Amino acid sequence: MDKNELFKTAALAKLKLDDEEADKLAAEVSAMLDNFSAMMEADVEGLEPTTQTLQKENRTRSDSTGSSNLSNQLLDRVPEREDRFIVIPNVM
Amino acid sequence: MSDIKRWAKALTESADSYKKYVGSWEEKIGSFLQFDPEAAQADSSGQGLLAVIPFGVKDNIAVKGFNMTCGSKILENFDCPYTATAVENLQKAGAVPVGKMNMDEFGMGSSTDNSALAETHNPWDTSRVAGGSSGGSAAAVAAGQVPFALGSDTGGSVRQPASFCGVYGLKPTYGTVSRYGLTAYASSLETIGVCAETAGLTRDVFKAMRGKDIMDNTTVEYKPSGKDDVETVAVLKAGEGDLNVDVLRSYKTSIARLKDLGYKTVEVELPTLKYVVPAYYVIATAEASANLARFNGIRYGLAAQGAETPSALMEETRHSGFGDEVKLRILLGTYVLRSGFQDQFYHRAQKIRTAILNDFNRIFESADALMMPVFPTAAFRHGSSDLTQLQQKAADLYTCSANLAGLPALAVPSTIEEGLPVGVQFMAPAFEEERLFRIAEKLEAVFPAQKPEGYSQEWKA
Amino acid sequence: MKYQSFVGLEIHIQLITETKVFCSCPNNFGDEPNTNVCPVCMGYPGALPSLNEEAVFKALKVSRALNCHINEKAVFERKNYFYPDMPKNYQISQFEFPFGINGYFDLELDDGSVKRIRIHDVHLEEDAGKMIHDAYQSRLDYNRAGTPLLEIVTEPDLLDGREAELFVQQFRQLVRYLEVTDGNMEEGSLRCDANTSINLPGKGLGTKTEVKNLNSSRFVNKALTYEIKRHAKVLDKGDTIVQETRLWDEGSSTTRSMRSKEDSHDYRYFPEPDLPPFRPDAALMARVEEAMIELPNDRKKRYEAELKLTSDQAVFITAEKNTADWFEAVLAAGADASQTAAWLSGDIQKILNKEGKSIEQSPFTPERIKELFDLINSNRISNNIGKDVLQAIFDEDRDPSAIVKEKGLEQVSDTGAVEKVVEEVLAAHRAVVDAIRAGEDKQIGFLMGQLMKATGGKVNPQLAREMIVNKIKRSE
Ligand SMILES: [Mg+2]
Ligand SMILES: [Zn+2]
């Protein structure tokens, strides 16, 4: 994988990479991708993909509110806040 | 008094000597990220099968009263406001979480060297790794700091360190133990598992923590077939090219012991085995790339200072908060999901997943259980002198197949080779954990797990 | 215009549920910021989604009402992109296997004809939080994060802005009928993105642009009308359309490019490993079927055909489900359809508008209205007094018969009593009587007015009228 592709991928993943890091990672990612190419030999003709193993039945929850409210504790863990709002740099 | 009941003294009459004992090992092995027997004691019922028994919790599992760092700088000071269902179930059974165990950052690694926060060493030889990613959990059990510790097993992360440290390590059937409260690395592959000092305790812990959970929609009803006794064990063929000398010797001993104990054995091959590592890494990194997207410096955890845009806040937080291995896997996972590459990687990997499932199903048509090596080597040295990171990944082949198939697997301590423990693993069809415990107990009765030098139970006297 | 235009819509509706779609936080609006949040909807490490059965039911209801094929296996997927209002930085949505696919909606056009608009799919997903921006910072409130959203995607079967406007209006009416959303566009419970392309006839679709976040059906029309003209101008000049996302600016009545790198989105959809696929079973589908009450268009047609309502009345009454339900309850109590329709679209609506109340929360119970009609139809009160009684029902929250009785509003139909008043009026207006005798019949109305004035409107008007005519003509 070249560095250009790496930076494109990093942008999608919101990862900032410095140049030195990028060189190292490009090599490592490439090595892993080479490794992945072993899959190309596998005969997967006619096989359905498996995304989960035993989850065969419907699972739902009834539409009723929970009892414990942790909202204040969650707010205590927010890095930047103003009253009950969470604050970040301006989006515009 | 059974040995497990004696552990109740750790938090009562022998508390001082217990803490001293834990502390003396901590200096040597560093298994805990946090040790605080009082932090969550009040949340335990105090009664039940595991009453007042201390246990450790891998630091990617939520326990109110403790931090949950996942071994990462991005959560270094994250004070966890809630408790995982599996831990809650153990607390109901009376057990008391006493600390959080070191691990590879977000479960990504086979050595615990990828922890951004602390170093953990193998109790048998501190120049060697405890394995990973649940290295802290396995090391603490091996050293007798706790009778059991929870880990998480995404591709072997409970079984491989258990094998490296000489303890039992269970990866349960997918969906039997709630993942609610387990920080996700690869959601469709991982389960909470347990490292324990005996086979019986492994069973007790598994029984106490499992159960269908409304908070985890992937949990299922536990429905074993009822056929718990094992007659035929399939044995995976493995030779010199597959295992190093010590492990191969150990594996042969394990096969001989099985026969000695009266099991019928049959040698089998897994044709798909050569594809499982790439398939595993494609699926694991793909899921990880999404699971780790939530760490962005806005709602909790590390936040980069002085960022001028939200994008910069997220990018800089993730840049300084994640370690190299985590970045590598996020990049890989993002790449394999990109449009244009999905078919080649992600979709193909999922079809291979079906193929490995078919392999196992075929084996279990004529065998009650399957024996396999855990890892091609015993505990390796810190750093890359024994195994590079890439070689470590390739070595996941024996463990990660159980994760791809969602099947239960138990690592059992087998022999000591050149001063290091080597384990072997047993696999069974879904929900047939009891078969694994029975084999393990039969072996244990004749070949009990050995202890590293310095292990003592005298503080319980 | 020498071009053919194609319009498609993506409509998001906020589902009415007690709780969010994947956690048990309340699905409420207007609460203090960040109060309805938990580890799940704040994207905490270790938290997992747990699917709300009511959201599933409502998704299936809409899918069914839009004549969709219900997928045997509905799959949730992760849609990956980073945005501060989205806690996990992926949205749990549906992509390859949504609840409903390949449906249609029969749209009634201005000329009364019906056009079938194909529905591409109906999928369930989670909403994001809210952001408030100022010059320096953005404030985040995650109360809305994780609330259930249903997205409906049409094929580009609409012709222009007007058809799109009609679609939004009629679609809104449908989903309000189904009681799955309040459909309030200004408040964002129904949000619309519109895409359009134009091309020379027979050349198929052109390059499309999308206008985001249109919060009224009128803006949908205006924005699309503007876009179609803009496309035509670009093509006329021999230029090409840039595929992009644009924003409607109401101030200048134009659209402008969002010119963002967001266009390079690669959402990397993959199946949500934390949720098993959902397979709607027969029992559930039977419940959905049961919930398929008569839809607004069918109801309107039935009112015209069977109840002989005027088209205007039928449109008015079926516009809102609660109005039509009320209307039918009055009929069920035994009232006449045209009388009910006339009063409902007339005086009843007038009072409700003035008082700002909806019919089901007003004192106008179907039984009271039926009773009021009985009083009028049996000539115990006049139609005009009936209007006063209606207001009194509203003001006093009492039954009409009690009001009539207590206020002595019962109309005088006793011949002797009426005759006495008629004679008094005729005596007081000799000149008018003469004029009527001379053929100016319309002056009878004046005498009727005087008569009503003198009696407080209580005289039976038919009886009084007959008597006036008889007396004047007889004494000729
Ligand atoms: Mg959407
Ligand atoms: Zn919530």
Side-chain angles (χ1 to χ4, degrees):
Chain A
M1 183 199 261
D2 63 26
K3 259 168 87 178
N4 189 27
E5 281 297 317
L6 185 79
F7 279 118
K8 230 166 147 181
T9 309
L12 285 169
K14 280 274 186 284
L15 276 177
K16 195 183 82 179
L17 302 177
D18 40 48
D19 235 35
E20 199 181 319
E21 215 176 2
D23 285 327
K24 188 174 145 275
L25 280 165
E28 288 177 3
V29 169
S30 298
M32 285 297 284
L33 290 176
D34 282 349
N35 214 292
F36 290 172
S37 62
M39 290 195 306
M40 298 317 280
E41 291 162 28
D43 179 17
V44 294
E45 222 15 65
L47 291 179
E48 286 293 308
T50 297
T51 56
Q52 287 174 323
T53 45
L54 293 156
Q55 286 50 55
K56 304 261 186 291
E57 56 175 309
N58 288 341
R59 285 297 303 275
T60 52
R61 157 184 71 77
S62 74
D63 184 24
S64 50
T65 48
S67 49
S68 62
N69 189 333
L70 287 179
S71 69
N72 289 337
Q73 290 176 61
L74 302 191
L75 274 184
D76 287 344
R77 287 159 175 79
V78 169
E80 284 286 331
R81 57 185 267 212
E82 205 179 277
D83 299 323
R84 293 196 68 88
F85 279 110
I86 296 169
V87 172
I88 57 169
N90 189 301
V91 167
M92 289 303 144
Chain B
M1 187 158 39
S2 81
D3 203 48
I4 189 64
K5 291 287 173 217
R6 291 166 69 94
W7 271 103
K9 290 184 177 179
L11 300 176
T12 54
E13 58 198 89
S14 306
D16 286 346
S17 38
Y18 170 63
K19 282 183 202 166
K20 218 175 282 166
Y21 179 78
V22 171
S24 71
W25 267 109
E26 263 320 89
E27 285 169 19
K28 286 184 270 180
I29 61 171
S31 59
F32 284 92
L33 283 170
Q34 219 183 336
F35 178 71
D36 185 352
E38 281 81 41
Q41 201 163 352
D43 293 329
S44 291
S45 70
Q47 51 198 10
L49 187 65
L50 300 169
V52 216
I53 306 297
F55 70 102
V57 181
K58 189 178 182 179
D59 208 21
N60 58 351
I61 300 173
V63 186
K64 199 174 68 192
F66 290 95
N67 285 349
M68 176 163 68
T69 68
C70 300
S72 180
K73 277 197 266 178
I74 212 160
L75 288 173
E76 189 165 3
N77 300 306
F78 178 68
D79 165 17
C80 192
Y82 77 109
T83 299
T85 304
V87 173
E88 258 176 16
N89 289 347
L90 289 168
Q91 288 172 323
K92 276 181 207 147
V96 179
V98 294
K100 301 301 287 292
M101 316 315 295
N102 197 16
M103 58 182 285
D104 287 305
E105 186 175 0
F106 287 107
M108 297 176 177
S110 309
S111 60
T112 309
D113 283 354
N114 291 342
S115 169
L117 304 179
E119 271 184 30
T120 296
H121 309 295
N122 194 308
W124 292 79
D125 175 351
T126 54
S127 73
R128 291 175 186 267
V129 303
S133 65
S134 311
S137 301
V141 173
Q145 293 178 308
V146 284
F148 73 93
L150 300 189
S152 62
D153 193 311
T154 311
S157 284
V158 164
R159 290 161 287 155
Q160 184 256 25
S163 178
F164 279 16
C165 294
V167 301
Y168 294 84
L170 173 70
K171 176 217 127 28
T173 305
Y174 186 84
T176 59
V177 177
S178 170
R179 289 181 295 116
Y180 190 76
L182 166 66
T183 304
Y185 157 25
S187 317
S188 78
L189 301 168
E190 65 206 0
T191 66
I192 287 181
V194 54
C195 292
E197 57 178 13
T198 65
L201 182 58
T202 313
R203 175 199 284 118
D204 290 344
V205 173
F206 172 58
K207 277 191 172 171
M209 71 177 176
R210 77 176 179 224
K212 205 168 163 178
D213 180 15
I214 193 63
M215 301 302 280
D216 176 359
N217 280 191
T218 63
T219 51
V220 293
E221 213 72 65
Y222 197 69
K223 39 190 174 196
S225 67
K227 187 191 179 311
D228 297 332
D229 285 321
V230 175
E231 289 145 36
T232 308
V233 178
V235 174
L236 183 75
K237 188 176 164 188
E240 271 171 34
D242 306 314
L243 307 173
N244 80 5
V245 216
D246 299 332
V247 176
L248 184 58
R249 190 166 55 240
S250 175
Y251 191 58
K252 285 179 174 161
T253 307
S254 296
I255 298 170
R257 285 175 178 179
L258 265 191
K259 289 179 175 162
D260 289 349
L261 287 171
Y263 290 106
K264 201 178 135 206
T265 61
V266 40
E267 195 178 62
V268 295
E269 287 182 67
L270 281 169
T272 325
L273 203 62
K274 53 179 176 288
Y275 307 120
V276 294
V277 168
Y280 165 75
Y281 274 97
V282 166
I283 294 169
T285 57
E287 291 180 5
S289 72
N291 283 329
L292 271 61
R294 67 189 62 203
F295 303 107
N296 64 357
I298 293 179
R299 287 153 291 118
Y300 51 76
L302 183 74
Q305 296 304 299
E308 286 180 359
T309 64
S311 244
L313 170 64
M314 295 194 256
E315 282 179 352
E316 281 159 28
T317 299
R318 292 162 69 77
H319 173 73
S320 52
F322 287 142
D324 292 347
E325 185 63 28
V326 174
K327 286 179 191 166
L328 170 64
R329 296 197 193 190
I330 290 175
L331 286 170
L332 266 173
T334 305
Y335 185 76
V336 298
L337 287 174
R338 274 176 55 183
S339 75
F341 303 111
Q342 277 213 4
D343 276 340
Q344 182 185 349
F345 296 114
Y346 183 70
H347 293 140
R348 197 168 185 84
Q350 288 183 325
K351 289 177 182 170
I352 289 175
R353 201 172 174 181
T354 309
I356 187 81
L357 254 163
N358 293 344
D359 270 1
F360 283 126
N361 287 338
R362 211 173 307 124
I363 286 172
F364 290 128
E365 274 169 22
S366 50
D368 306 314
L370 164 67
M371 187 173 84
M372 287 210 280
V374 177
F375 202 77
T377 73
F380 46 86
R381 286 183 192 84
H382 288 293
S384 320
S385 58
D386 285 354
L387 284 180
T388 64
Q389 291 267 359
L390 200 61
Q391 287 167 329
Q392 289 176 30
K393 290 187 178 93
D396 284 337
L397 82 162
Y398 298 113
T399 45
C400 72
S401 51
N403 302 84
L404 288 167
L407 300 180
L410 177 67
V412 173
S414 183
T415 64
I416 307 297
E417 306 290 340
E418 307 291 326
L420 294 172
V422 176
V424 66
Q425 69 173 330
F426 294 91
M427 282 177 65
F431 308 113
E432 304 299 343
E433 276 84 354
E434 183 55 28
R435 294 186 194 169
L436 306 179
F437 299 137
R438 293 205 181 176
I439 301 172
E441 276 175 335
K442 243 173 146 175
L443 284 164
E444 188 180 32
V446 190
F447 310 102
Q450 299 186 51
K451 306 295 183 189
E453 196 186 319
Y455 175 95
S456 160
Q457 303 223 348
E458 267 163 37
W459 59 267
K460 289 187 205 159
Chain C
M1 193 176 74
K2 66 180 185 200
Y3 302 103
Q4 191 178 358
S5 57
F6 305 90
V7 170
L9 298 174
E10 286 175 22
I11 303 178
H12 287 89
I13 54 174
Q14 289 179 332
L15 296 181
I16 302 168
T17 52
E18 285 295 309
T19 64
K20 296 185 179 184
V21 60
F22 298 122
C23 66
S24 51
C25 287
N27 176 14
N28 269 356
F29 293 94
D31 289 339
E32 285 281 289
N34 296 307
T35 45
N36 301 328
V37 291
C38 73
V40 177
C41 57
M42 283 282 263
Y44 261 54
L48 297 171
S50 181
L51 179 61
N52 181 338
E53 63 179 8
E54 188 60 24
V56 170
F57 182 65
K58 292 196 158 118
L60 289 169
K61 248 168 99 167
V62 174
S63 302
R64 170 63 186 76
L66 291 173
N67 309 292
C68 287
H69 168 72
I70 307 295
N71 265 322
E72 182 192 328
K73 182 178 85 168
V75 176
F76 289 95
E77 304 208 27
R78 293 185 182 177
K79 180 180 181 180
N80 296 287
Y81 63 99
F82 281 80
Y83 209 68
D85 62 4
M86 203 169 54
K88 301 185 295 298
N89 289 308
Y90 59 81
Q91 180 193 35
I92 302 179
S93 182
Q94 298 185 297
F95 187 61
E96 215 185 329
F97 303 101
F99 278 107
I101 53 168
N102 297 339
Y104 62 85
F105 180 82
D106 282 334
L107 181 69
E108 194 174 317
L109 301 179
D110 284 322
D111 63 4
S113 66
V114 169
K115 179 172 178 181
R116 183 157 287 190
I117 308 300
R118 289 170 302 156
I119 305 295
H120 180 273
D121 78 276
V122 175
H123 63 262
L124 180 61
E125 60 189 25
E126 54 182 340
D127 208 344
K130 269 187 178 156
M131 294 206 276
I132 302 164
H133 310 291
D134 68 23
Y136 310 100
Q137 57 190 28
S138 297
R139 292 181 183 77
L140 282 160
D141 171 11
Y142 290 104
N143 280 348
R144 199 181 66 185
T147 58
L149 268 191
L150 198 67
E151 183 172 342
I152 293 88
V153 183
T154 77
E155 298 289 355
D157 290 350
L158 296 155
L159 179 68
D160 54 15
R162 176 58 186 163
E163 283 194 8
E165 179 179 20
L166 286 171
F167 185 93
V168 171
Q169 287 168 350
Q170 291 170 35
F171 171 80
R172 177 178 177 276
Q173 187 191 27
L174 173 74
V175 288
R176 282 174 55 84
Y177 252 69
L178 292 169
E179 293 173 325
V180 297
T181 183
D182 69 27
N184 189 321
M185 286 191 82
E186 289 96 86
E187 285 174 16
S189 19
L190 192 156
R191 291 171 242 162
C192 190
D193 302 338
N195 58 71
T196 186
S197 73
I198 68 170
N199 212 342
L200 291 169
K203 295 271 181 188
L205 302 174
T207 305
K208 73 176 176 184
T209 56
E210 183 177 36
V211 190
K212 285 260 184 211
N213 285 328
L214 296 160
N215 64 358
S216 90
S217 55
R218 204 165 48 88
F219 295 167
V220 170
N221 188 347
K222 288 169 78 175
L224 285 166
T225 305
Y226 176 86
E227 270 302 280
I228 290 168
K229 275 194 198 136
R230 188 182 68 83
H231 282 214
K233 267 188 214 155
V234 171
L235 294 190
D236 281 346
K237 272 196 293 185
D239 291 342
T240 48
I241 302 291
V242 184
Q243 179 163 352
E244 61 181 351
T245 300
R246 299 176 71 88
L247 277 180
W248 171 247
D249 179 39
E250 177 55 15
S252 62
S253 284
T254 56
T255 65
R256 64 186 154 79
S257 173
M258 276 171 82
R259 47 128 202 103
S260 74
K261 50 184 182 231
E262 311 285 330
D263 281 336
S264 62
H265 268 158
D266 179 348
Y267 293 123
R268 291 161 284 134
Y269 280 99
F270 71 96
E272 167 57 273
D274 291 331
L275 293 167
F278 187 92
R279 298 173 175 84
D281 57 23
L284 177 59
M285 288 319 294
R287 269 183 61 215
V288 170
E289 214 51 50
E290 221 168 274
M292 280 307 111
I293 39 89
E294 190 179 27
L295 298 177
N297 243 329
D298 300 332
R299 217 169 197 183
K300 195 188 79 190
K301 279 183 223 151
R302 179 167 62 86
Y303 287 180
E304 288 175 21
E306 292 174 20
L307 303 177
K308 309 285 177 232
L309 300 196
T310 67
S311 165
D312 283 351
Q313 282 174 337
V315 167
F316 171 79
I317 293 169
T318 56
E320 295 288 345
K321 180 170 181 292
N322 56 356
T323 312
D325 285 348
W326 184 91
F327 171 73
E328 295 197 9
V330 181
L331 299 200
D336 170 69
S338 12
Q339 186 174 27
T340 312
W343 277 76
L344 179 52
S345 51
D347 291 272
I348 292 176
Q349 197 52 39
K350 221 182 287 164
I351 293 172
L352 293 175
N353 281 349
K354 189 178 70 193
E355 309 283 350
K357 277 232 163 147
S358 69
I359 194 138
E360 74 275 14
Q361 17 169 257
S362 77
F364 296 144
T365 65
E367 293 72 31
R368 283 173 174 169
I369 298 304
K370 163 69 166 64
E371 195 180 300
L372 176 65
F373 293 166
D374 286 345
L375 289 169
I376 294 168
N377 299 342
S378 63
N379 287 327
R380 288 176 60 203
I381 61 173
S382 68
N383 213 54
N384 273 337
I385 292 287
K387 293 178 183 186
D388 298 339
V389 174
L390 187 72
Q391 182 67 51
I393 296 173
F394 188 94
D395 294 339
E396 300 165 25
D397 196 0
R398 286 201 297 157
D399 292 346
S401 50
I403 294 165
V404 166
K405 195 164 174 201
E406 193 198 307
K407 302 196 173 171
L409 297 175
E410 209 152 328
Q411 117 184 313
V412 184
S413 298
D414 170 67
T415 323
V418 177
E419 186 166 20
K420 189 166 161 260
V421 195
V422 168
E423 274 167 3
E424 279 167 22
V425 169
L426 293 184
H429 299 282
R430 292 264 172 235
V432 179
V433 172
D434 291 341
I436 293 168
R437 222 169 257 148
E440 281 188 54
D441 275 8
K442 62 178 182 211
Q443 294 276 25
I444 295 171
F446 171 79
L447 292 181
M448 282 299 290
Q450 293 302 311
L451 190 80
M452 287 300 168
K453 209 167 156 190
T455 60
K458 285 193 294 183
V459 168
N460 180 332
Q462 279 111 320
L463 185 62
R465 191 179 212 353
E466 263 168 46
M467 223 172 252
I468 289 171
V469 172
N470 283 342
K471 280 190 186 298
I472 293 175
K473 305 285 178 184
R474 211 194 308 145
S475 56
E476 252 174 309

